[in-house]
Amino acid sequence: MLITIITFIIVFGILVLVHEFGHYYFAKRAGILVREFSIGMGPKIWWSRRNGTTYTVRLLPLGGYVRLAGADEDDDETLRPGTPVTIQLNDQNEVTTINASEKTTLFQGLPLQIVDKDLVDDLWISGYVNGDESVVKKFSVNHDANVIERDGTELRIAPRDVQINSASLPHRMMTNFAGPMNNFILALVVFIILGFTLPGIPTNSNQLGQVQSSSVAAKAGLKAGDRIVKVNGHSTRNWQSMTTAISSKPGQRLTISYKRAGQEYTIKLIPKKVRRGKQTVGQIGVMEQQKKDFASRIQYGWHQFILSGTLIFSVLGHMFTHGFSLNDLGGPVAIYAGTSQATSLGVNGVLAFLAMLSINLGIVNLLPIPALDGGKLVLNIIEGIIRRPIPEKAEGIVTLIGFGFLMLLMILVTWNDIQRYFIK
């Protein structure tokens, strides 16, 4: 139980960290201010500030986010007219810190009740100082000033020149795409690592890599290097077709055609009956040929990456063509249940699970749903087609609708997962 919980937190943390770092890195390159980089949701348990970005770790390991300047309006909520704050001034009489939190005290802070502000274009704030409502005082705000929010989180303000909408369209598209892209890169790297943990890479050829001593195959005269080309007259072009033909005939006489040194030979044998779960299958005691070279291990990682991505796309396609079901989706509860199964398979099981989740996260985030990265990219593409910015109000409404849809879907999926895995 404890190992599963720890593994779940690590796996989820890696996925979120890699995804959000993609957005963070390309936003920084585009000159967009990243106000906060958070791992986890809910109350913060640790934070640090560096180069204008506040890094936080929050209590609930169920996601994460980057707050890009201009992508939210939290300052409007935190610093409404009438809000009491304290401000700190520099030697040029500019505001360098606006403290809206009761948890933090500013050294030589000046009490101010906000009347109005502009922290985007002209950079100023006005209000009543020390409770004196007879005069409204106006202060210039430094370009790199900070706001301390009610929960004590300290963030940079978001002037217009460092907001996401001030960046070029290609930079914004790359920033939105970078999260899923990082998930794909992570999955590929993990699958390649798995390739190097295996004793050998299966070739899926019909050539025998090893023949067990005293086995049915050995007694029939088969040797390592032989290539089984037919079973009961049916061609076997790869390992899968060959094993399927043999395993489906337990205890039945088979005619095997194989090639050795360019010559074709025929033998007869009877596969041994072996119980596998609730089924009885036939086995002759041979093992698949494997490669151990560097290139084959890299190629294995690439093939697994493509295979996994194709599988996820086929599942999504099935949902659209055969009807939607909540059982086709999985939230944090399903991921926890999957983590428990993966942990029982050891390190390789966890790595494979991490890679599959990473591809899944990348693909799902690229779906054209507002509030997801794919939805943002669609808006970017529309902007490129019409050659003018989409009105902020319209974009905000679309994003809000998408966010509401996702929240409702997450609640339904989570409840469905609880019923599936914990309520029998």
Side-chain angles (χ1 to χ4, degrees):
M1 180 74 171
L2 180 60
I3 294 177
T4 299
I5 292 174
I6 294 173
T7 304
F8 171 79
I9 292 174
I10 292 174
V11 167
F12 217 94
I14 291 173
L15 289 174
V16 172
L17 178 64
V18 168
H19 181 93
E20 298 302 337
F21 182 77
H23 296 310
Y24 166 89
Y25 177 77
F26 282 94
K28 286 277 193 179
R29 288 196 60 179
I32 303 167
L33 172 65
V34 181
R35 304 182 72 197
E36 182 182 4
F37 186 118
S38 176
I39 300 298
M41 309 292 282
K44 69 179 186 301
I45 56 179
W46 176 88
W47 70 277
S48 177
R49 294 189 72 249
R50 185 177 180 183
N51 297 328
T53 300
T54 299
Y55 302 89
T56 57
V57 176
R58 297 183 179 270
L59 183 62
L60 302 176
L62 300 177
Y65 55 87
V66 290
R67 289 170 65 174
L68 304 180
D72 58 62
E73 299 179 355
D74 289 350
D75 289 345
D76 291 336
E77 295 295 320
T78 302
L79 305 178
R80 290 178 175 178
T83 302
V85 298
T86 56
I87 59 175
Q88 198 167 50
L89 306 174
N90 61 14
D91 294 338
Q92 287 75 43
N93 212 36
E94 294 178 324
V95 176
T96 56
T97 305
I98 304 171
N99 179 23
S101 174
E102 297 179 355
K103 300 178 181 180
T104 304
T105 302
L106 294 181
F107 178 68
Q108 294 182 340
L110 185 66
L112 178 77
Q113 183 178 344
I114 297 175
V115 171
D116 203 356
K117 71 181 189 310
D118 181 353
L119 302 181
V120 175
D121 294 308
D122 296 329
L123 303 183
W124 55 266
I125 188 169
S126 65
Y128 305 122
V129 176
N130 286 319
D132 182 5
E133 297 186 7
S134 63
V135 60
V136 175
K137 290 192 175 182
K138 185 176 181 179
F139 299 89
S140 295
V141 177
N142 187 274
H143 182 277
D144 298 332
N146 300 313
V147 175
I148 302 177
E149 298 184 313
R150 292 186 182 92
D151 66 352
T153 302
E154 187 172 346
L155 302 174
R156 280 266 301 273
I157 63 171
R160 181 81 62 188
D161 63 304
V162 294
Q163 289 190 5
I164 184 170
N165 287 330
S166 296
S168 68
L169 181 59
H171 277 136
R172 281 182 280 143
M173 293 184 71
M174 191 63 224
T175 299
N176 289 328
F177 176 69
M181 179 188 72
N182 267 21
N183 284 125
F184 298 144
I185 293 173
L186 172 64
L188 178 59
V189 169
V190 172
F191 275 131
I192 290 175
I193 291 173
L194 277 172
F196 282 91
T197 65
L198 298 175
I201 306 302
T203 62
N204 197 30
S205 71
N206 55 6
Q207 189 168 5
L208 306 182
Q210 183 178 341
V211 177
Q212 297 175 354
S213 60
S214 302
S215 65
V216 172
K219 292 177 181 178
L222 290 172
K223 297 181 180 180
D226 291 345
R227 188 182 301 274
I228 295 179
V229 294
K230 291 180 183 179
V231 175
N232 278 354
H234 298 288
S235 297
T236 54
R237 297 182 178 180
N238 54 45
W239 184 263
Q240 184 175 0
S241 62
M242 187 261 294
T243 55
T244 300
I246 294 173
S247 64
S248 64
K249 305 292 183 181
Q252 300 180 36
R253 184 176 295 276
L254 297 179
T255 300
I256 303 290
S257 298
Y258 67 94
K259 286 186 176 181
R260 178 187 298 170
Q263 297 293 317
E264 185 169 323
Y265 304 90
T266 300
I267 57 172
K268 295 185 182 294
L269 52 75
I270 300 176
K272 181 181 178 181
K273 295 181 179 180
V274 177
R275 289 290 294 178
R276 184 180 293 170
K278 297 180 179 180
Q279 292 184 325
T280 299
V281 298
Q283 288 185 358
I284 62 174
V286 295
M287 296 181 66
E288 187 174 3
Q289 186 184 46
Q290 296 182 336
K291 294 183 178 180
K292 300 182 179 181
D293 60 287
F294 183 86
S296 295
R297 296 180 187 277
I298 297 292
Q299 191 176 36
Y300 169 84
W302 173 253
H303 285 163
Q304 290 299 115
F305 173 76
I306 297 299
L307 182 64
S308 300
T310 303
L311 176 62
I312 294 170
F313 274 116
S314 67
V315 171
L316 289 173
H318 184 271
M319 289 171 56
F320 286 105
T321 57
H322 292 78
F324 171 78
S325 171
L326 287 176
N327 290 331
D328 294 328
L329 303 176
V333 175
I335 294 175
Y336 177 82
T339 303
S340 177
Q341 296 175 1
T343 303
S344 66
L345 300 175
V347 175
N348 280 10
V350 173
L351 287 175
F353 185 61
L354 170 63
M356 282 292 295
L357 280 179
S358 195
I359 294 179
N360 201 312
L361 180 62
I363 292 175
V364 169
N365 263 279
L366 286 178
L367 294 177
I369 299 174
L372 291 180
D373 297 325
K376 296 174 184 177
L377 283 168
V378 169
L379 294 176
N380 292 150
I381 293 170
I382 293 173
E383 180 181 337
I385 294 173
I386 65 177
R387 298 187 177 182
R388 65 176 184 272
I390 296 174
E392 290 185 12
K393 186 175 182 180
E395 184 175 347
I397 291 174
V398 170
T399 301
L400 185 61
I401 293 173
F403 183 78
F405 169 76
L406 290 176
M407 289 299 100
L408 176 61
L409 185 61
M410 180 172 287
I411 291 171
L412 294 174
V413 168
T414 300
W415 175 243
N416 186 63
D417 287 344
I418 291 173
Q419 289 181 311
R420 277 199 295 170
Y421 294 105
F422 298 105
I423 301 176
K424 303 298 183 180

